[in-house]
Amino acid sequence: MTERQLGPGPSGLERYYILTDGRSAPTVGAASLDVATLIVARSAPEPGIKPEHEAILRTCRDPLSVAELGAYLELPFNVLSVLVADLLNTGGVEARDPIAGTRDGGPDLALLEEVLSGLQRL
């Protein structure tokens, strides 16, 4: 018997509720996540983890922004942020600032000038 014969599975909001175990926001430790934050896997998926966590770990072998990850996995930001927070708390992934900064915390001026130069050449 296939899944279709068993009846419809959870979809939409019900599916998201199940994926996040009913949580609507990430834990305090992941409150700084935004769509530009880069996520990179720090470990391989372990047996027994949720399929969505496994998909995040496999997809983030190379750094990806939260926005890109959401597009690949077809998950909205709030659901994805809860799942990424789970992995951040267990050390499965690392969150990185998307823009390299200087020692004083500001943006790297040389990098910004290179980007501007590249855009002007287009």
Side-chain angles (χ1 to χ4, degrees):
M1 194 178 265
T2 66
E3 283 185 326
R4 291 181 195 258
Q5 294 171 329
L6 294 174
S11 62
L13 296 177
E14 295 166 341
R15 176 176 173 255
Y16 299 147
Y17 184 86
I18 292 168
L19 291 178
T20 62
D21 296 326
R23 295 169 290 162
S24 61
T27 57
V28 176
S32 64
L33 284 178
D34 65 22
V35 294
T37 302
L38 297 176
I39 305 298
V40 62
R42 297 183 74 202
S43 63
E46 296 179 12
I49 66 171
K50 286 184 175 183
E52 293 76 21
H53 288 144
E54 182 178 354
I56 292 169
L57 290 172
R58 290 193 188 286
T59 306
C60 291
R61 288 182 182 142
D62 293 319
L64 282 177
S65 72
V66 173
E68 291 172 307
L69 185 58
Y72 287 133
L73 301 180
E74 299 180 356
L75 291 172
F77 175 76
N78 60 336
V79 173
L80 184 61
S81 64
V82 170
L83 297 173
V84 168
D86 293 343
L87 291 170
L88 282 168
N89 290 335
T90 61
V93 297
E94 177 184 342
R96 297 181 182 170
D97 188 10
I99 298 177
T102 60
R103 290 183 189 187
D104 64 0
D108 183 354
L109 197 50
L111 175 63
L112 292 176
E113 288 173 353
E114 286 181 40
V115 169
L116 180 59
S117 175
L119 290 172
Q120 289 172 337
R121 284 190 298 253
L122 292 176

